[in-house]
Amino acid sequence: MAKTPRTWTGARTPSGLKRVRQAERRHAILQPRRTAAKTFVAKALDIATHQGDPETAATALAEAHAALDRAAKTGAIHANAAARRKSRLTLKFNAATGGAQVQTAIRVTKTTSKAQAAKAAKSRIAASKADKAKGAQTAAGKARTALSKTARADAAAKAAAAASGTATVAVAPAKAAPKKAATASKAKSTTKAASKPSAKASATKTAAKAPAKKAAAKK
């Protein structure tokens, strides 16, 4: 434990301290076996790829299988993991001895620079944005886009029709006002025309009555 118990964040109880000792001991025993298994696997692949001696390659493959079996037996790796690694190693070994190019390193090293990686990321982002703008390229997605296009076209046509209707409604009263004025003027003219004949008729009547009165006075 640390000198100041308040700063200690590890195990405190006797059982916890025992577990820490056990973990350290297991790591010291099992880690070398894991490392040995990886080393023998990489060595077998390297020999199968670069050397043409089949006996040496077969020996290296057998040693790699034995290292994986030992690691699984001691509990350094799971038995299924050991079987999986042996199977993959055998497939790669056969491909390498057949002349195919096989990756011998355990970890994949990046061969692209930072500038190239940034450029590739930008291109991927642009492609994804273009795909999103296009929409889903499935049959259902195409049907949805077609429906949305027709709906937009119908909405635009309705909006245009509504706009034209409002324009005609707004113009109609302006055109109707002169008509009303014309009808009013026509009505006035007709009333004047109707009143004029009546005045003439009254004048003729008075004129006819006047001689009759004069004749009566003479008698």
Side-chain angles (χ1 to χ4, degrees):
M1 292 179 65
K3 293 181 179 179
T4 55
R6 291 185 178 180
T7 60
W8 176 249
T9 58
R12 291 178 179 273
T13 61
S15 60
L17 296 172
K18 182 180 178 181
R19 289 295 181 184
V20 170
R21 292 194 300 270
Q22 288 177 348
E24 291 177 355
R25 186 166 61 252
R26 285 175 59 82
H27 181 77
I29 295 171
L30 300 179
Q31 187 60 33
R33 287 168 173 77
R34 297 192 190 99
T35 305
K38 293 180 182 178
T39 303
F40 279 112
V41 169
K43 183 179 178 182
L45 287 176
D46 185 54
I47 291 173
T49 305
H50 298 93
Q51 295 183 10
D53 189 4
E55 294 182 358
T56 306
T59 303
L61 180 63
E63 289 178 354
H65 285 183
L68 289 169
D69 289 335
R70 283 196 300 271
K73 185 177 180 180
T74 55
I77 59 176
H78 198 274
N80 293 346
R84 181 178 65 252
R85 292 185 186 181
K86 286 165 65 176
S87 176
R88 292 179 180 176
L89 172 61
T90 305
L91 291 174
K92 287 184 178 180
F93 183 86
N94 294 334
T97 53
Q101 187 176 2
V102 178
Q103 179 187 348
T104 57
I106 297 174
R107 293 183 180 180
V108 180
T109 57
K110 294 183 179 179
T111 57
T112 58
S113 63
K114 291 183 178 180
Q116 291 176 348
K119 189 175 180 180
K122 288 182 180 179
S123 63
R124 285 195 302 270
I125 292 169
S128 65
K129 287 183 179 180
D131 293 338
K132 288 180 180 178
K134 288 180 182 179
Q137 296 300 313
T138 59
K142 290 179 180 179
R144 283 196 296 271
T145 53
L147 288 174
S148 62
K149 286 181 180 178
T150 54
R152 286 197 298 270
D154 294 339
K158 288 180 181 179
S164 62
T166 53
T168 53
V169 169
V171 172
K175 290 182 179 179
K179 287 182 179 179
K180 288 182 179 179
T183 53
S185 61
K186 285 182 181 180
K188 287 180 181 179
S189 62
T190 52
T191 53
K192 286 181 180 179
S195 62
K196 284 180 180 179
S198 62
K200 288 181 180 179
S202 62
T204 53
K205 286 180 180 180
T206 53
K209 287 179 179 180
K213 289 180 180 180
K214 289 181 180 179
K218 286 179 179 180
K219 289 179 178 182

